[in-house]
Amino acid sequence: EAGVAQSPRYKIIEKRQSVAFWCNPISGHATLYWYQQILGQGPKLLIQFQNNGVVDDSQLPKDRFSAERLKGVDSTLKIQPAKLEDSAVYLCASSFGGSTTDTQYFGPGTRLTVL
Amino acid sequence: AQSVTQPDIHITVSEGASLELRCNYSYGATPYLFWYVQSPGQGLQLLLKYFSGDTLVQGIKGFEAEFKRSQSSFNLRKPSVHWSDAAEYFCAVRRRTGTASKLTFGTGTRLQVTL
């Protein structure tokens, strides 16, 4: 079974530029998550989708971050404009459902460096 | 509010020695608890999870964890560490918030294994 796919794996940009990350979840998984993992910290949930609807985006900095999952499958996370503090690993995860007992499977992440 | 504390930032053990990684949680209701491992450049892999029932949970790669409600702890153990266990370990707690189900991670413990 294929896992969660993410691209690109690495990205270096200058501040104020824009960047986009792509995620393809495990086939059949209705729930998709984006996490931000700053160096030395645990992952922090940015946004959770159930199919193509948002169920939690309370920690997404909406002035610069946006995410979509138009067809309920793959998803894109965008940052515009980027700031230095956005340097982090962005992890995508998926689960079959969105309940507390559903296991989340993580992709390898995209490491973003903002100069 | 829920939180997860991993008091040890970095632990070094010799190969073949036993291992215990500490995790304390703060959550009013019955918690859903997880341990994940993250190798360099990799996403997070689920080691084990606790939802209810037997408080001693077996996971993959020879790991186990014990839920102790009286101590609000969910410590991870392994009787004999292998060099390949060197990685970062994250404890996490999950609860339902409205229609979402949020996973909150600790700050992680980096395990170094000496030969």
PDB file of all heavy atoms in Angstrom, chain A residues 44-58:
ATOM      1  N   LYS A  44       2.653  20.674  14.977  1.00  0.00           N
ATOM      2  CA  LYS A  44       1.475  21.429  15.379  1.00  0.00           C
ATOM      3  C   LYS A  44       0.471  21.406  14.238  1.00  0.00           C
ATOM      4  O   LYS A  44       0.814  21.727  13.098  1.00  0.00           O
ATOM      5  CB  LYS A  44       1.851  22.869  15.711  1.00  0.00           C
ATOM      6  CG  LYS A  44       0.669  23.723  16.175  1.00  0.00           C
ATOM      7  CD  LYS A  44       1.078  25.171  16.367  1.00  0.00           C
ATOM      8  CE  LYS A  44       1.160  25.924  15.065  1.00  0.00           C
ATOM      9  NZ  LYS A  44       1.357  27.380  15.225  1.00  0.00           N
ATOM     10  N   LEU A  45      -0.764  21.045  14.553  1.00  0.00           N
ATOM     11  CA  LEU A  45      -1.796  20.963  13.517  1.00  0.00           C
ATOM     12  C   LEU A  45      -2.119  22.346  12.975  1.00  0.00           C
ATOM     13  O   LEU A  45      -2.393  23.277  13.732  1.00  0.00           O
ATOM     14  CB  LEU A  45      -3.064  20.329  14.086  1.00  0.00           C
ATOM     15  CG  LEU A  45      -4.229  20.195  13.096  1.00  0.00           C
ATOM     16  CD1 LEU A  45      -3.914  19.167  12.031  1.00  0.00           C
ATOM     17  CD2 LEU A  45      -5.522  19.830  13.830  1.00  0.00           C
ATOM     18  N   LEU A  46      -2.084  22.469  11.645  1.00  0.00           N
ATOM     19  CA  LEU A  46      -2.489  23.701  10.991  1.00  0.00           C
ATOM     20  C   LEU A  46      -3.934  23.625  10.521  1.00  0.00           C
ATOM     21  O   LEU A  46      -4.722  24.555  10.724  1.00  0.00           O
ATOM     22  CB  LEU A  46      -1.584  23.992   9.793  1.00  0.00           C
ATOM     23  CG  LEU A  46      -0.129  24.339  10.086  1.00  0.00           C
ATOM     24  CD1 LEU A  46       0.642  24.490   8.782  1.00  0.00           C
ATOM     25  CD2 LEU A  46      -0.036  25.614  10.913  1.00  0.00           C
ATOM     26  N   ILE A  47      -4.271  22.535   9.858  1.00  0.00           N
ATOM     27  CA  ILE A  47      -5.607  22.418   9.285  1.00  0.00           C
ATOM     28  C   ILE A  47      -5.966  20.946   9.113  1.00  0.00           C
ATOM     29  O   ILE A  47      -5.097  20.113   8.871  1.00  0.00           O
ATOM     30  CB  ILE A  47      -5.701  23.161   7.932  1.00  0.00           C
ATOM     31  CG1 ILE A  47      -7.139  23.226   7.426  1.00  0.00           C
ATOM     32  CG2 ILE A  47      -4.771  22.560   6.898  1.00  0.00           C
ATOM     33  CD1 ILE A  47      -7.326  24.220   6.273  1.00  0.00           C
ATOM     34  N   GLN A  48      -7.258  20.655   9.283  1.00  0.00           N
ATOM     35  CA  GLN A  48      -7.775  19.310   9.098  1.00  0.00           C
ATOM     36  C   GLN A  48      -8.941  19.357   8.120  1.00  0.00           C
ATOM     37  O   GLN A  48      -9.851  20.175   8.274  1.00  0.00           O
ATOM     38  CB  GLN A  48      -8.242  18.718  10.427  1.00  0.00           C
ATOM     39  CG  GLN A  48      -8.872  17.324  10.310  1.00  0.00           C
ATOM     40  CD  GLN A  48      -9.367  16.768  11.631  1.00  0.00           C
ATOM     41  OE1 GLN A  48      -8.976  17.233  12.695  1.00  0.00           O
ATOM     42  NE2 GLN A  48     -10.236  15.769  11.574  1.00  0.00           N
ATOM     43  N   PHE A  49      -8.897  18.489   7.114  1.00  0.00           N
ATOM     44  CA  PHE A  49      -9.976  18.353   6.142  1.00  0.00           C
ATOM     45  C   PHE A  49     -10.705  17.027   6.349  1.00  0.00           C
ATOM     46  O   PHE A  49     -10.090  16.004   6.637  1.00  0.00           O
ATOM     47  CB  PHE A  49      -9.436  18.330   4.699  1.00  0.00           C
ATOM     48  CG  PHE A  49      -8.859  19.616   4.206  1.00  0.00           C
ATOM     49  CD1 PHE A  49      -7.502  19.873   4.309  1.00  0.00           C
ATOM     50  CD2 PHE A  49      -9.671  20.575   3.614  1.00  0.00           C
ATOM     51  CE1 PHE A  49      -6.961  21.052   3.832  1.00  0.00           C
ATOM     52  CE2 PHE A  49      -9.146  21.760   3.125  1.00  0.00           C
ATOM     53  CZ  PHE A  49      -7.781  21.998   3.242  1.00  0.00           C
ATOM     54  N   GLN A  50     -12.009  17.060   6.200  1.00  0.00           N
ATOM     55  CA  GLN A  50     -12.798  15.842   6.106  1.00  0.00           C
ATOM     56  C   GLN A  50     -13.395  15.868   4.708  1.00  0.00           C
ATOM     57  O   GLN A  50     -14.244  16.715   4.410  1.00  0.00           O
ATOM     58  CB  GLN A  50     -13.896  15.815   7.174  1.00  0.00           C
ATOM     59  CG  GLN A  50     -14.712  14.540   7.195  1.00  0.00           C
ATOM     60  CD  GLN A  50     -13.972  13.361   7.779  1.00  0.00           C
ATOM     61  OE1 GLN A  50     -13.013  13.528   8.522  1.00  0.00           O
ATOM     62  NE2 GLN A  50     -14.396  12.165   7.446  1.00  0.00           N
ATOM     63  N   ASN A  51     -12.931  14.941   3.842  1.00  0.00           N
ATOM     64  CA  ASN A  51     -13.227  15.003   2.410  1.00  0.00           C
ATOM     65  C   ASN A  51     -12.744  16.358   1.900  1.00  0.00           C
ATOM     66  O   ASN A  51     -11.575  16.676   2.070  1.00  0.00           O
ATOM     67  CB  ASN A  51     -14.701  14.719   2.149  1.00  0.00           C
ATOM     68  CG  ASN A  51     -15.060  13.300   2.557  1.00  0.00           C
ATOM     69  OD1 ASN A  51     -14.409  12.343   2.131  1.00  0.00           O
ATOM     70  ND2 ASN A  51     -16.061  13.154   3.410  1.00  0.00           N
ATOM     71  N   ASN A  52     -13.586  17.187   1.324  1.00  0.00           N
ATOM     72  CA  ASN A  52     -13.084  18.467   0.834  1.00  0.00           C
ATOM     73  C   ASN A  52     -13.507  19.636   1.716  1.00  0.00           C
ATOM     74  O   ASN A  52     -13.359  20.799   1.328  1.00  0.00           O
ATOM     75  CB  ASN A  52     -13.503  18.702  -0.618  1.00  0.00           C
ATOM     76  CG  ASN A  52     -15.013  18.716  -0.775  1.00  0.00           C
ATOM     77  OD1 ASN A  52     -15.746  18.390   0.155  1.00  0.00           O
ATOM     78  ND2 ASN A  52     -15.491  19.111  -1.937  1.00  0.00           N
ATOM     79  N   GLY A  53     -14.009  19.335   2.907  1.00  0.00           N
ATOM     80  CA  GLY A  53     -14.425  20.390   3.824  1.00  0.00           C
ATOM     81  C   GLY A  53     -13.464  20.553   4.983  1.00  0.00           C
ATOM     82  O   GLY A  53     -12.864  19.587   5.448  1.00  0.00           O
ATOM     83  N   VAL A  54     -13.315  21.800   5.448  1.00  0.00           N
ATOM     84  CA  VAL A  54     -12.440  22.098   6.570  1.00  0.00           C
ATOM     85  C   VAL A  54     -13.178  21.852   7.884  1.00  0.00           C
ATOM     86  O   VAL A  54     -14.293  22.360   8.080  1.00  0.00           O
ATOM     87  CB  VAL A  54     -11.960  23.562   6.519  1.00  0.00           C
ATOM     88  CG1 VAL A  54     -11.132  23.896   7.759  1.00  0.00           C
ATOM     89  CG2 VAL A  54     -11.152  23.818   5.257  1.00  0.00           C
ATOM     90  N   VAL A  55     -12.571  21.064   8.786  1.00  0.00           N
ATOM     91  CA  VAL A  55     -13.191  20.841  10.085  1.00  0.00           C
ATOM     92  C   VAL A  55     -12.459  21.553  11.208  1.00  0.00           C
ATOM     93  O   VAL A  55     -13.013  21.752  12.279  1.00  0.00           O
ATOM     94  CB  VAL A  55     -13.333  19.344  10.416  1.00  0.00           C
ATOM     95  CG1 VAL A  55     -14.293  18.683   9.448  1.00  0.00           C
ATOM     96  CG2 VAL A  55     -11.996  18.642  10.384  1.00  0.00           C
ATOM     97  N   ASP A  56     -11.191  21.932  10.982  1.00  0.00           N
ATOM     98  CA  ASP A  56     -10.431  22.663  11.994  1.00  0.00           C
ATOM     99  C   ASP A  56      -9.297  23.412  11.322  1.00  0.00           C
ATOM    100  O   ASP A  56      -8.417  22.790  10.740  1.00  0.00           O
ATOM    101  CB  ASP A  56      -9.875  21.708  13.061  1.00  0.00           C
ATOM    102  CG  ASP A  56      -9.195  22.434  14.227  1.00  0.00           C
ATOM    103  OD1 ASP A  56      -9.039  23.677  14.165  1.00  0.00           O
ATOM    104  OD2 ASP A  56      -8.818  21.764  15.196  1.00  0.00           O
ATOM    105  N   ASP A  57      -9.346  24.712  11.380  1.00  0.00           N
ATOM    106  CA  ASP A  57      -8.227  25.531  10.888  1.00  0.00           C
ATOM    107  C   ASP A  57      -7.899  26.608  11.903  1.00  0.00           C
ATOM    108  O   ASP A  57      -7.443  27.703  11.551  1.00  0.00           O
ATOM    109  CB  ASP A  57      -8.526  26.126   9.513  1.00  0.00           C
ATOM    110  CG  ASP A  57      -9.718  27.066   9.523  1.00  0.00           C
ATOM    111  OD1 ASP A  57     -10.365  27.216  10.588  1.00  0.00           O
ATOM    112  OD2 ASP A  57     -10.013  27.666   8.476  1.00  0.00           O
ATOM    113  N   SER A  58      -8.160  26.310  13.171  1.00  0.00           N
ATOM    114  CA  SER A  58      -8.011  27.306  14.220  1.00  0.00           C
ATOM    115  C   SER A  58      -6.571  27.771  14.416  1.00  0.00           C
ATOM    116  O   SER A  58      -6.333  28.860  14.937  1.00  0.00           O
ATOM    117  CB  SER A  58      -8.554  26.752  15.542  1.00  0.00           C
ATOM    118  OG  SER A  58      -7.886  25.560  15.895  1.00  0.00           O
TER     119      SER A  58
END
